[in-house]
Amino acid sequence: MDGWKKRLAWLRVLPEPVPADRDTPLKTAEFEKELFFGGRKETVRLLKDDALGEGYEILPTDLGYDVRGGETGVLYGVYALIRALTAASALPRGVRKPYYDLRMLDSWDNMDGTVERGYAGRSIWFEGNAFAYDPARIRQLGRMLGSVGINALCLNNVNVHQPAQRLLEDLLPKVREFAALLRPFGVRIMLSVDFSQPMQHGLDTADPLDERVQGWWRETAKRVWEAIPDLAGFLVKADSEHRPGPNTYGRTHAEGANMLARAIAPYGGKLVWRAFVYNCMQDWRDTKTDRPRAAYDLYMPLDGQFDGNVILQIKHGPYDFQIREPLSPLLLGMKKTSLALELQLAQEYPGQQIDLYAMPPMWREILDEMGKEKVRAVAAVSNLGRDDCWTGHPFAALNLFSYGLFSWDPDSEAEETVRQWVRMTYALEKGQEDTLTEWLLRSRSIYEKYAASLGLCWMITPNSHYGPNPYGYEFQAWGTYIRADRNAVGIDRTEKGTGYVSQYPEKLREMYARPETCPDGLKLFFHRLPYDYRMRDGRTLIQRLYDDHFEGAEEARAMAEALKTLELPEADKREMLERMDKQLLNAREWRDVVNTFFHRFSGAEDEQGRKIYD
Ligand code: GCV
């Protein structure tokens, strides 16, 4: 039960737990300083300077370092110093402040202890429809989050199932106790709320323009913030995948969000409203409706109508955390609304923390394409669970660690971040450190080759979302089609097709609109192309699909061979090897199922004569 105590992930250099009496970030900073520098020659002084808030400055002195910062800033400064010294990376210079004020981790934990799309075991804090946790583990969680600058944790699933509504009611004192455990690490709590909650309290409506509804939320907000004055805010999934929302009452999403935002504004609360709204009851015969269009069509006309404390949280792509999607055009289009970029650390589509999938290279691409200034906040769906190693696959902790660093500094480099995680987590000799860093950096492209070549997504097993099933979602209501037939595959999203491409600014629109200029990775996302279509490198489309699947499976095998040689702590090694074996089976399955599927449709032979099943 206490196995997690030995699994310190990137905090291995801080082996003792932070004692419970360290109840402020400054006291935590003092503790971490003593723990790390106790056995070293440097002298470190902590200088509190409230004007710096979350910011800090590390100043080398004759004897060691001064760390100056606000209450939380000092703590971040100490962690940054420890990271730099452990990973032998450059010391942060000058005053450092986080680029985004709100750096959220969204947990999809249900109160029955399950975690929606969770791949690291059950919830760390809910079980049996109640709070159930080890306070020491929650403090260690706070420490992990604080050590990489994550400053808000949403406790419950955006799909708010009973009894999670009670978090705002009789369970509020428990939320308050929980919040106190994370406060010393600079982490504030958020709660997902159910838009229809007033209806469980005698009201016959949740209409945001109804005064009784507004009054109910005002009263509720007052009670909640009295109990937890530093609650960061509410998170809402409305009118999405059967969740209640303002559309039921003929009201807009701006009207719905503003109503809640006004209730919490007096307390400085943020209302985070998710833009993941689409028709999940689509008839597959309907080729006009195109799911990726949905969010832009709904929200662009509302730009400028949201209150100042509303943050519209937008998934990075227009679909749903697929392996390769273009950037959501909404992130580029909305100019008068505060936006948050939503990422998913939980590997729902990319291998479920069985297959290796390091995300920093993807985030670098997303941030470069978007421009960091387009959003005011960042959120990521958590990959944590009750497993001893916290993240199912010990290497999946890299994604949590890196998310923190990217959310603090969106100019972070993928390779540097990965290397820093490797050095923080393991004491490997240089050759092994290079091996691990290299394969982590390649892991996404390997997965992409066997699971989402040319931007063809959704060929997955329905519901579980692990493993291949090319037609699994073809006749379903979710708007997730590949439309493969014996001649062609993909969806035409140009002006001649669904018109989705017109949601982009001109430069991107032009690039995506023509198959010749559309990046290979998105070719079949934007275009419907025949199997004999010639790619830029001269290969036919079908040959490229075959090649990617053969290469992906082969590279996964080479990766497994290389990673087997690593000298890791026993538990990490065992878990890594177990998962690698599963990944190899998965990659093989993807290769053979997808290649066979297209071979049967197209009748095309592989130019290299490799085995494809008839
Ligand atoms: C929390 C996808 C997932 C759902 C998730 C949803 C969302 O559809 O499969 O499990 O629900 O995204 O982001 O709201």
Side-chain angles (χ1 to χ4, degrees):
M1 235 182 97
D2 278 351
W4 63 270
K5 288 189 173 157
K6 298 199 191 73
R7 309 301 294 277
L8 300 177
W10 64 87
L11 293 179
R12 98 188 135 83
V13 295
L14 297 172
E16 308 299 328
V18 180
D21 63 358
R22 305 290 170 137
D23 55 0
T24 66
L26 187 58
K27 287 189 205 164
T28 306
E30 288 284 355
F31 177 81
E32 303 291 40
K33 181 197 85 171
E34 284 151 24
L35 185 61
F36 185 79
F37 289 97
R40 296 173 63 112
K41 58 183 185 326
E42 300 101 325
T43 301
V44 176
R45 286 189 309 176
L46 305 186
L47 311 170
K48 187 156 167 281
D49 177 350
D50 287 332
L52 283 177
E54 288 191 316
Y56 64 82
E57 184 172 17
I58 299 172
L59 297 158
T61 62
D62 290 346
L63 298 174
Y65 307 93
D66 282 351
V67 180
R68 196 167 67 86
E71 170 78 42
T72 318
V74 173
L75 180 62
Y76 290 149
V78 168
Y79 284 131
L81 180 59
I82 292 173
R83 275 204 312 273
L85 295 176
T86 307
S89 40
L91 267 191
R93 302 240 306 255
V95 172
R96 308 297 291 240
K97 291 193 162 172
Y99 189 81
Y100 300 118
D101 289 343
L102 195 55
R103 306 177 296 281
M104 301 172 265
L105 190 69
D106 293 353
S107 311
W108 287 354
D109 291 31
N110 298 313
M111 290 201 62
D112 65 2
T114 57
V115 179
E116 183 155 348
R117 310 304 177 187
Y119 310 104
R122 297 176 71 80
S123 170
I124 303 176
W125 50 84
F126 291 139
E127 193 58 70
N129 290 332
F131 274 100
Y133 57 81
D134 175 351
R137 186 158 196 184
I138 303 304
R139 276 199 302 278
Q140 183 69 8
L141 168 69
R143 188 188 204 186
M144 289 170 82
L145 303 185
S147 74
V148 291
I150 294 169
N151 68 355
L153 176 71
C154 186
L155 285 192
N156 60 312
N157 191 354
V158 287
N159 293 324
V160 185
H161 306 296
Q162 274 290 20
Q165 284 90 343
R166 287 176 45 204
L167 297 171
L168 303 181
E169 300 164 7
D170 58 317
L171 293 176
L172 192 55
K174 299 279 180 206
V175 183
R176 179 188 158 94
E177 281 169 28
F178 193 92
L181 295 172
L182 295 176
R183 203 167 282 126
F185 304 94
V187 180
R188 298 159 74 194
I189 291 297
M190 296 181 70
L191 293 172
S192 294
V193 301
D194 171 357
F195 195 81
S196 67
Q197 192 154 345
M199 296 177 75
Q200 281 146 30
H201 296 272
L203 294 184
D204 54 2
T205 178
D207 182 351
L209 299 196
D210 186 303
E211 280 179 14
R212 293 166 304 155
V213 172
Q214 295 166 1
W216 188 87
W217 280 110
R218 268 198 307 274
E219 279 304 303
T220 300
K222 184 162 175 289
R223 261 191 315 101
V224 169
W225 264 269
E226 263 166 22
I228 310 160
D230 62 351
L231 191 89
F234 286 161
L235 174 61
V236 190
K237 172 173 176 177
D239 292 318
S240 163
E241 300 184 333
H242 311 294
R243 304 322 297 165
N247 285 172
T248 311
Y249 309 98
R251 311 300 182 194
T252 69
H253 274 223
E255 288 169 323
N258 291 345
M259 182 274 293
L260 289 170
R262 283 168 202 168
I264 67 178
Y267 317 103
K270 300 281 186 221
L271 196 275
V272 184
W273 188 268
R274 295 178 83 230
F276 181 60
V277 181
Y278 65 98
N279 176 9
C280 66
M281 300 287 282
Q282 186 175 334
D283 185 334
W284 59 268
R285 298 167 192 83
D286 164 13
T287 53
K288 295 276 176 299
T289 306
D290 186 18
R291 172 166 162 182
R293 290 190 60 122
Y296 189 97
D297 286 343
L298 175 68
Y299 290 103
M300 270 311 280
L302 301 178
D303 197 15
Q305 294 182 26
F306 290 97
D307 280 11
N309 63 329
V310 175
I311 298 177
L312 189 67
Q313 183 165 300
I314 305 172
K315 292 189 182 186
H316 64 80
Y319 255 140
D320 183 13
F321 301 134
Q322 297 302 291
I323 314 309
R324 174 74 63 178
E325 293 187 52
L327 190 72
S328 165
L330 203 54
L331 288 162
L332 301 173
M334 285 189 102
K335 304 274 192 271
K336 293 177 274 183
T337 307
S338 295
L339 306 179
L341 171 70
E342 182 174 328
L343 305 168
Q344 190 185 39
L345 311 182
Q347 291 170 231
E348 174 177 357
Y349 298 99
Q352 308 203 344
Q353 284 142 249
I354 297 168
D355 300 30
L356 203 57
Y357 191 90
M359 298 181 178
M362 171 168 76
W363 300 335
R364 192 60 276 138
E365 286 166 17
I366 291 170
L367 285 158
D368 286 344
E369 194 169 337
M370 180 183 77
K372 63 185 176 192
E373 69 291 345
K374 292 287 193 316
V375 299
R376 298 274 297 278
V378 280
V381 179
S382 168
N383 59 356
L384 289 163
R386 204 178 285 186
D387 280 3
D388 284 348
C389 86
W390 303 85
T391 50
H393 194 311
F395 295 174
L398 161 74
N399 291 329
L400 179 61
F401 172 90
S402 313
Y403 166 64
L405 266 47
F406 271 76
S407 66
W408 175 283
D409 176 7
D411 291 322
S412 297
E413 289 300 330
E415 177 165 355
E416 200 180 301
T417 311
V418 171
R419 192 172 290 276
Q420 195 172 92
W421 175 81
V422 170
R423 288 185 176 167
M424 291 292 297
T425 307
Y426 301 116
L428 295 171
E429 55 88 8
K430 183 78 174 77
Q432 296 217 339
E433 178 192 304
D434 289 344
T435 302
L436 179 52
T437 305
E438 180 199 326
W439 286 104
L440 285 168
L441 286 166
R442 288 182 62 185
S443 59
R444 179 196 183 209
S445 83
I446 294 173
Y447 192 86
E448 180 175 5
K449 278 187 184 173
Y450 63 76
S453 169
L454 303 178
L456 261 190
C457 10
W458 297 114
M459 295 193 293
I460 42 169
T461 309
N463 307 320
S464 81
H465 297 176
Y466 188 79
N469 188 340
Y471 252 13
Y473 272 117
E474 195 62 15
F475 303 107
Q476 299 224 8
W478 302 94
T480 45
Y481 314 113
I482 61 164
R483 309 250 189 240
D485 65 20
R486 63 188 171 163
N487 302 312
V489 56
I491 292 177
D492 182 356
R493 297 195 156 105
T494 68
E495 305 285 357
K496 290 200 213 89
T498 71
Y500 165 75
V501 78
S502 66
Q503 297 182 341
Y504 285 93
E506 192 181 346
K507 228 173 113 198
L508 286 174
R509 185 166 65 230
E510 283 181 358
M511 179 176 75
Y512 292 142
R514 298 183 17 242
E516 312 85 74
T517 51
C518 181
D520 283 357
L522 292 170
K523 222 45 130 207
L524 296 176
F525 181 94
F526 281 104
H527 298 279
R528 175 167 187 77
L529 297 171
Y531 295 111
D532 60 0
Y533 173 84
R534 283 280 160 199
M535 306 289 291
R536 271 189 291 268
D537 64 8
R539 284 183 283 178
T540 59
L541 181 102
I542 187 70
Q543 189 57 43
R544 172 65 191 271
L545 284 175
Y546 292 155
D547 287 351
D548 274 3
H549 286 85
F550 282 116
E551 278 169 31
E554 184 50 33
E555 287 171 21
R557 205 195 45 74
M559 175 165 74
E561 288 307 315
L563 296 184
K564 271 182 195 160
T565 65
L566 297 180
E567 283 155 38
L568 304 175
E570 193 266 327
D572 283 30
K573 179 112 182 198
R574 179 173 29 81
E575 288 164 357
M576 187 268 284
L577 291 177
E578 279 165 15
R579 282 166 178 74
M580 264 302 167
D581 284 347
K582 291 187 185 160
Q583 171 163 10
L584 292 184
L585 290 176
N586 191 36
R588 173 173 174 266
E589 203 63 7
W590 272 98
R591 178 195 69 193
D592 291 341
V593 170
V594 175
N595 281 345
T596 301
F597 177 82
F598 284 113
H599 182 239
R600 286 181 183 170
F601 262 133
S602 68
E605 294 308 325
D606 171 39
E607 281 168 8
Q608 295 188 41
R610 291 162 293 195
K611 176 75 186 159
I612 299 183
Y613 298 82
D614 290 317

